[in-house]
Amino acid sequence: MESLTEEAVKYYLMNKVGPRQRLLSKIVEEVQEIIYRLTKEISYRDIRFQPVSKSCYHNENIKVLAPTQFVITVPIKGLLGYRKSQTRRWRYYSMSGSKLFSPIRDPEEMYQWLEINQFLKTLRQWHEKDVTVDGDIMPAKVIEVFLKLVEDSVKACNLSNEVSILENFGSIIRLIVETSEFQVEIELIPVIEVLNRWCDKAQWPRCFSRWPSREKIHCVKSFGFNLMARSSYHWKLGFDRAEYMLMEGIDDDGGCRKICYQVLRQMKEDVWCPGNKPVITTQHLQTILFWTCEKYPRSKDWCVFRKAFLRLVRKLYKCVNQHFLKHFFIKETNMFQYSSKTELDAVAQKLVLFLKNPMLHQD
């Protein structure tokens, strides 16, 4: 255990953060090879789903929540020219298409309805009854079609030794992928990629915000957003490309934001919240970083590692202790809403001990 001296941080980056990144690069490479084969077969069977391409640098379809927990998005093809719906309709259906009588309610902040006529150009297959009900593209039906394709494609590609499908709970598809190091649990999500248009629900940037720069904001917004099929009726909003662009060049002013984030992530994985399915993921830590960058936008706030890092840890503690972390783009959404409060409290206790005696875990 070492204090937050410059020498200790350099040693930690070299002996903990560096090896972690090399290991993850290897795991991602293995996983994307398997997922490429699988989704290529899926696309061959159903043109509505695109293969997840391989990349040597950054794969925008793969998000590492933890070393053993990935989210992989599968791009949907044939829905172009997205536009906001002008009608307000609240409709709930069974999978067979019969109407369900349920209380009229608006989707939660991160969710929305999706009608086929919200797209200017569509493949005729998206008008089929296997994915639509009364003009709505129903995520549960899309997932039902996609899951059958996954099952058939695993067999067709002889991937049964590398890929196993976990029991499906609700509208989420989870796989276990065997790698040379360990098993990785993957959530596979069909997504509609909406490019060159910002999400109407994302009221960002906020008034008087000084981070990031106007040029950066314009760039981030140009990458648009995703609509993800991971619930029964409503499509969930996603901002993976925008978040990636916020991280790119985050230290162009010579600051230490990314190093602070890397050390925070490593301490989270090794000490504060280890395990295969941690209650705190990289998504949460990245959001903590973004909020802290917005509150402390000046370059001089990110010159001294110890001060900047402890600021991040205190922000993390506050959010974990209160069971409340606002989504960076949809701030009405609490990212801890469905997290285990018992697990969050356990993390909060560890953060208290660290803040009393800040030491990097070197074992």
Side-chain angles (χ1 to χ4, degrees), residues 14 29 70 113 183 211 226 273:
M14 183 183 302
E29 187 176 341
F70 291 12
W113 297 103
Q183 291 183 338
W211 185 90
N226 288 338
C273 189

Side-chain angles (χ1 to χ4, degrees), residues 83-334:
R83 53 193 173 181
K84 184 180 178 182
S85 174
Q86 299 303 312
T87 59
R88 286 172 62 95
R89 296 186 293 180
W90 294 268
R91 297 171 302 183
Y92 293 86
Y93 300 94
S94 68
M95 292 296 284
S96 64
S98 58
K99 282 193 175 184
L100 298 178
F101 294 98
S102 63
I104 292 177
R105 63 182 179 87
D106 211 355
E108 294 180 20
E109 293 84 359
M110 288 291 290
Y111 293 84
Q112 69 171 63
W113 297 103
L114 194 62
E115 302 167 37
I116 191 69
N117 63 12
Q118 286 181 244
F119 297 93
L120 296 175
K121 294 174 69 176
T122 57
L123 281 174
R124 61 173 179 78
Q125 287 90 338
W126 284 109
H127 295 263
E128 301 289 338
K129 291 289 174 55
D130 65 342
V131 290
T132 61
V133 177
D134 199 16
D136 285 334
I137 307 175
M138 188 173 171
K141 291 178 80 71
V142 173
I143 291 163
E144 185 179 51
V145 169
F146 187 67
L147 178 58
K148 180 66 167 62
L149 289 165
V150 171
E151 292 170 342
D152 293 343
S153 298
V154 167
K155 296 173 186 174
C157 296
N158 297 315
L159 286 170
S160 298
N161 291 331
E162 289 96 344
V163 178
S164 53
I165 303 170
L166 295 176
E167 186 176 348
N168 193 29
F169 292 102
S171 299
I172 294 176
I173 298 172
R174 287 193 172 95
L175 314 175
I176 293 291
V177 172
E178 299 284 347
T179 73
S180 60
E181 299 291 334
F182 42 70
Q183 291 183 338
V184 177
E185 182 175 317
I186 292 171
E187 183 180 344
L188 211 53
I189 310 175
V191 299
I192 300 166
E193 298 177 337
V194 181
L195 303 172
N196 296 311
R197 180 192 174 101
W198 191 238
C199 175
D200 296 298
K201 285 191 172 185
Q203 301 299 309
W204 181 83
R206 284 161 279 279
C207 292
F208 308 116
S209 171
R210 291 185 291 154
W211 185 90
S213 66
R214 298 298 112 180
E215 295 79 14
K216 187 75 168 185
I217 288 168
H218 180 75
C219 174
V220 167
K221 284 189 165 186
S222 72
F223 281 82
F225 61 101
N226 288 338
L227 293 166
M228 304 187 290
R230 67 181 313 271
S231 72
S232 296
Y233 303 100
H234 312 126
W235 292 75
K236 186 178 181 181
L237 300 172
F239 299 90
D240 289 353
R241 291 183 304 279
E243 289 163 355
Y244 176 75
M245 287 311 301
L246 272 179
M247 288 294 289
E248 279 292 279
I250 198 169
D251 287 321
D252 282 351
D253 61 357
C256 61
R257 299 168 188 83
K258 189 162 271 189
I259 290 176
C260 286
Y261 169 75
Q262 290 172 340
V263 174
L264 188 76
R265 181 184 62 196
Q266 194 70 43
M267 285 291 290
K268 191 279 299 182
E269 291 178 2
D270 289 349
V271 184
W272 304 328
C273 189
N276 292 337
K277 297 188 70 174
V279 67
I280 308 291
T281 69
T282 56
Q283 181 80 53
H284 298 119
L285 299 184
Q286 189 173 256
T287 303
I288 293 285
L289 176 64
F290 292 158
W291 281 114
T292 309
C293 286
E294 183 174 287
K295 186 173 181 180
Y296 297 93
R298 299 175 302 180
S299 298
K300 70 176 187 178
D301 293 320
W302 299 93
C303 289
V304 180
F305 172 84
R306 178 185 173 87
K307 187 175 180 180
F309 179 69
L310 290 177
R311 188 189 298 130
L312 271 184
V313 178
R314 284 191 292 269
K315 173 67 173 176
L316 175 61
Y317 167 72
K318 179 181 177 182
C319 294
V320 170
N321 188 51
Q322 295 177 349
H323 309 154
F324 189 80
L325 172 59
K326 291 187 292 185
H327 191 280
F328 189 65
F329 294 116
I330 312 288
K331 64 185 184 69
E332 294 80 11
T333 296
N334 177 16

